[in-house]
Amino acid sequence: QLQFVESGGGLVQPGGSLRLSCGAPGLTLEDYAIGWFRQAPGKEREGVSCISSSDESATYAESVKGRFASVRDNAKGMVYLQMDSLKPEDTAVYYCAANLMRRRCSGWLAHEFGYWGQGTQVTVYS
């Protein structure tokens, strides 16, 4: 069963940085727009960023715009989320998933995404 594997999470102080990675062995990543999501305890999962497969343009949630950047390396089959200027409210489990319906990002409707991984924990503490 195809599934993303996320890595790179950890503990970091406010203002710090982390780079998350995700890949899905056996999946041709270049065929899909890839979304990053996060879920904090007691909260619903929310979309964070999405990078299109067509032109590799990326969109971001307002809460992370200017601090997070998503890039993809189709040759390596990997997508990365660079997270800078981290805040305590960024604490969550982060997931990546493939948009099974679109190659170009258009929001983060969860039902459009598949191949969810187990996620990686990001904790920003002071």
Side-chain angles (χ1 to χ4, degrees):
Q1 182 175 354
L2 292 175
Q3 186 177 40
F4 277 98
V5 178
E6 301 93 343
S7 63
L11 297 172
V12 64
Q13 291 186 322
S17 298
L18 286 172
R19 189 178 83 150
L20 306 184
S21 303
C22 85
L27 183 68
T28 304
L29 208 69
E30 63 189 12
D31 291 341
Y32 302 94
I34 305 298
W36 283 97
F37 297 77
R38 67 185 181 187
Q39 188 166 20
K43 295 187 177 181
E44 292 187 356
R45 185 165 50 192
E46 62 175 347
V48 174
S49 76
C50 182
I51 184 164
S52 296
S53 67
S54 53
D55 60 1
E56 301 191 7
S57 60
T59 57
Y60 301 93
E62 284 298 321
S63 59
V64 306
K65 196 172 290 185
R67 300 187 298 121
F68 289 12
S70 183
V71 295
R72 61 194 299 157
D73 185 336
N74 290 331
K76 294 183 178 179
M78 297 294 291
V79 176
Y80 305 96
L81 184 66
Q82 178 67 40
M83 305 188 298
D84 297 322
S85 302
L86 283 162
K87 304 176 181 180
E89 51 263 43
D90 294 319
T91 295
V93 178
Y94 284 72
Y95 305 86
C96 61
N99 193 310
L100 305 181
M101 300 177 65
R102 307 173 193 273
R103 293 173 65 100
R104 188 169 181 84
C105 295
S106 178
W108 293 276
L109 297 175
H111 71 269
E112 294 187 349
F113 288 82
Y115 307 134
W116 295 91
Q118 297 299 309
T120 185
Q121 175 71 48
V122 172
T123 303
V124 185
Y125 70 100
S126 57

